[in-house]
């Protein structure tokens, strides 16, 4: 199984690192792809993360079972404005692959026309934009899975978000295997 996390300047740190870590614990091959290349990316709280590859190079190594969009206002804005992200997301949706977005990340789904008619959630700070688009049914659940689309609310839901991705890709048994060593309360 392979996952691609798209990382842009201004991404939220926890929403980036927690899914990467949890998926790797579940033996999923995760590639962190930098939107602007392999240069270190400064996240929303000034944590610096070095991508594994550029988006361009990572795409050549696809297909991926899941594409992950972290939030963070600046990061989501950068993902929303990137034509490369739009192409990756549309290809994933067209092949009925899984797309997962957390916090402000779902605004990139909106910008690229992904998930029309689906039920989603997001950070409360961007909910009106998503609701007013008329493109989605909005939920305030902590994690929402509607078919191949997984969305979540913010940093405090990052573990639940990541575990939903793991369960979708590898089943409940894998979730039950990786939760105890992390001392998570689920």
């Amino acid at each position: 199984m392979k996952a691609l996390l798209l990382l842009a300047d201004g991404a939220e740190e926890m929403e980036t690192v927690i899914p990467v870590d949890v998926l790797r614990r579940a033996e999923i091959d995760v590639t962190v792809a930098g939107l602007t290349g392999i240069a270190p990316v400064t996240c929303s709280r000034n944590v610096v993360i070095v991508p594994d590859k550029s988006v361009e190079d990572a795409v050549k190594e696809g297909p991926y079972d899941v594409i992950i969009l972290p939030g963070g206002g600046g990061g989501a804005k950068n993902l929303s404005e990137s034509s490369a992200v739009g192409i990756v997301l549309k290809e994933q949706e067209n092949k009925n692959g899984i797309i997962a977005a957390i916090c402000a990340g779902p605004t990139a789904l909106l910008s690229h026309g992904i998930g029309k008619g689906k039920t989603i959630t997001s950070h409360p700070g961007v909910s009106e934009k998503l609701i007013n688009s008329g493109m989605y049914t909005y939920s305030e659940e902590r994690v929402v899975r509607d078919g191949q689309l997984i969305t979540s609310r913010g940093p405090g839901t990052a573990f639940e978000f990541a575990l939903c991705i793991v369960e979708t890709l590898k089943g409940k048994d894998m979730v039950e295997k990786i939760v105890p060593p992390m001392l998570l309360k689920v």
Side-chain angles (χ1 to χ4, degrees):
M1 300 257 132
K2 292 172 61 174
L4 177 63
L5 184 136
L6 302 176
L7 180 62
D9 283 329
E12 208 291 326
E13 294 83 337
M14 292 170 61
E15 298 162 3
T16 301
V17 174
I18 290 170
V20 170
D21 181 278
V22 170
L23 269 65
R24 286 181 177 168
R25 287 172 190 260
E27 302 167 3
I28 296 167
D29 179 16
V30 182
T31 299
V32 177
L35 189 59
T36 59
I38 59 170
V41 172
T42 302
C43 294
S44 62
R45 305 299 180 283
N46 294 316
V47 171
V48 176
I49 299 174
V50 179
D52 299 315
K53 301 181 180 318
S54 68
V55 170
E56 293 77 19
D57 288 343
V59 167
K60 294 174 191 169
E61 296 181 9
Y64 292 90
D65 299 289
V66 61
I67 307 295
I68 304 168
L69 306 177
K77 181 178 185 293
N78 288 327
L79 294 174
S80 294
E81 294 173 352
S82 167
S83 59
V85 170
I87 291 166
V88 168
L89 292 174
K90 285 175 183 149
E91 286 177 1
Q92 187 75 353
E93 184 176 56
N94 289 339
K95 74 176 188 83
N96 202 30
I98 299 163
I99 297 172
I102 185 169
C103 191
T107 61
L109 303 177
L110 175 62
S111 295
H112 298 297
I114 302 299
K116 292 177 186 165
K118 299 283 189 181
T119 298
I120 65 166
T121 194
S122 70
H123 190 276
V126 298
S127 63
E128 277 191 40
K129 180 176 185 176
L130 296 165
I131 292 166
N132 292 339
S133 75
M135 196 163 126
Y136 307 105
T137 299
Y138 193 82
S139 170
E140 291 189 3
E141 293 294 318
R142 293 172 63 81
V143 178
V144 173
R145 178 171 177 213
D146 186 347
Q148 298 297 81
L149 186 62
I150 300 168
T151 53
S152 189
R153 306 224 52 195
T157 66
F159 277 105
E160 295 159 75
F161 173 69
L163 291 172
C164 182
I165 297 168
V166 170
E167 184 172 349
T168 302
L169 291 176
K170 297 199 99 177
K172 195 155 188 67
D173 287 348
M174 180 57 80
V175 171
E176 291 170 357
K177 176 182 172 185
I178 65 172
V179 164
M182 291 190 287
L183 304 178
L184 277 178
K185 196 177 201 180
V186 291

